[in-house]
Amino acid sequence: MFYHVSKEDEYLFQGKRRRLVEQLKLKGIIDEAVLKAIEKIPRHLFFDQSTARPAMLEHAYSDKALPIGAGQTISHPFTVAFQTEKLEIKSGEKVLEIGSGCGYQTAVLVEMGAKVFTIERQKSLYDKTKLFLPYLGYKSVRFFYGDGYKGLPQHAPFDKIIVTAGAPYLPNDLLVQLKTGGIMVIPIGEGEQQEMYILRKTSDSTFERQVLGKFKFVPLLQNKA
Ligand code: SAH
């Protein structure tokens, strides 16, 4: 199911990852832990390797969104780095991720020291990523097949919440499941582009928000696929 990567491949990809990290720094990412995670994680192994493998490996470390199967894409490395940096993760924090996809963002969160709970609505991606991340060594992740709009009330509250698909509105259930003092990073908007919202919950019923830049995401869809 997974490709074997030789030592020479690893050497080549290590160099590509270092260059990607340099690009991310130029684009404004400063969190050393985020940069270190990206330098470490073999992004080229996360794509849908059943189609167009050589072409994709070629682009694995350019700042692009690429297909991962089920009509979905892995986010741009800059987007992953930006969202992660804005979460201000501290080791041991409980983080809810909506949209597991291929698990690349999940792996970055684990490298940051987070206890990750991740939800995916596409069964094929859920099945694949649930096997793939432990295979890479990320064994602590809790995977859920379900509708991210509803979050995981049985495991709430969360210190941080990250949404990796474009939401038409701010899902109230997610806000309820965020701890007071917690941060949620969520792209909001229904058109081609979304605005990145950074929300800090200040009490049971209040939050502060910052809107930082435009991004392109696949849509956050209702219900399980
Ligand atoms: N974090 C992912 C990004 C994948 S793209 C990665 O690094 O690969 C966004 C993902 O969100 C897709 O896999 C899509 O199927 C999923 N998604 C969309 N709507 C959802 C919902 N309501 N609940 C859970 N997952 C959802």
Side-chain angles (χ1 to χ4, degrees):
M1 177 174 183
F2 304 120
Y3 283 97
H4 174 72
V5 178
S6 72
K7 284 271 169 265
E8 284 137 57
D9 278 359
E10 259 319 310
Y11 192 69
L12 173 76
F13 289 122
Q14 191 76 48
K16 285 182 186 281
R17 281 200 287 279
R18 244 176 252 132
R19 283 194 289 282
L20 172 61
V21 163
E22 289 312 312
Q23 281 181 32
L24 294 174
K25 281 188 194 166
L26 289 174
K27 291 184 181 176
I29 303 299
I30 52 171
D31 187 324
E32 283 297 333
V34 173
L35 295 167
K36 219 168 132 190
I38 289 175
E39 186 159 343
K40 177 171 172 194
I41 301 168
R43 188 172 189 262
H44 61 281
L45 299 181
F46 283 78
F47 304 111
D48 178 11
Q49 308 215 350
S50 60
T51 55
R53 182 190 171 233
M56 271 192 242
L57 287 190
E58 198 50 27
H59 294 295
Y61 297 102
S62 36
D63 196 11
K64 285 188 176 148
L66 293 165
I68 54 172
Q72 304 302 317
T73 55
I74 185 173
S75 301
H76 283 64
F78 175 74
T79 306
V80 172
F82 186 82
Q83 285 194 284
T84 310
E85 185 168 90
K86 295 301 170 200
L87 283 174
E88 298 176 20
I89 292 170
K90 288 171 205 72
S91 190
E93 284 185 336
K94 260 171 82 181
V95 178
L96 173 64
E97 178 190 35
I98 310 301
S100 322
C102 68
Y104 179 74
Q105 170 75 70
T106 320
V108 173
L109 296 169
V110 176
E111 289 289 348
M112 304 291 293
K115 286 189 222 140
V116 187
F117 295 70
T118 185
I119 313 179
E120 173 57 55
R121 70 180 285 284
Q122 291 279 358
K123 186 71 165 54
S124 59
L125 286 173
Y126 161 79
D127 286 337
K128 198 165 144 187
T129 301
K130 194 178 162 186
L131 288 178
F132 181 59
L133 281 183
Y135 162 84
L136 276 189
Y138 298 106
K139 298 189 200 299
S140 63
V141 179
R142 306 275 305 268
F143 295 92
F144 298 84
Y145 170 52
D147 178 4
Y149 277 95
K150 301 189 178 78
L152 292 173
Q154 69 277 33
H155 294 287
F158 296 95
D159 297 292
K160 309 285 162 71
I161 299 179
I162 175 170
V163 179
T164 71
Y169 57 85
L170 178 61
N172 190 55
D173 285 345
L174 297 185
L175 204 50
V176 168
Q177 291 171 33
L178 186 63
K179 271 188 197 166
T180 296
I183 298 174
M184 167 152 54
V185 178
I186 176 170
I188 299 185
E190 282 192 278
E192 277 276 288
Q193 289 192 321
Q194 294 77 36
E195 290 188 302
M196 194 66 80
Y197 279 63
I198 322 292
L199 306 169
R200 198 180 287 266
K201 191 160 166 180
T202 43
S203 79
D204 262 1
S205 57
T206 54
F207 61 87
E208 288 169 2
R209 68 163 218 213
Q210 252 185 314
V211 184
L212 294 178
K214 292 201 191 324
F215 293 81
K216 268 190 188 173
F217 283 86
V218 295
L220 186 70
L221 300 170
Q222 300 279 352
N223 304 317
K224 286 197 266 195

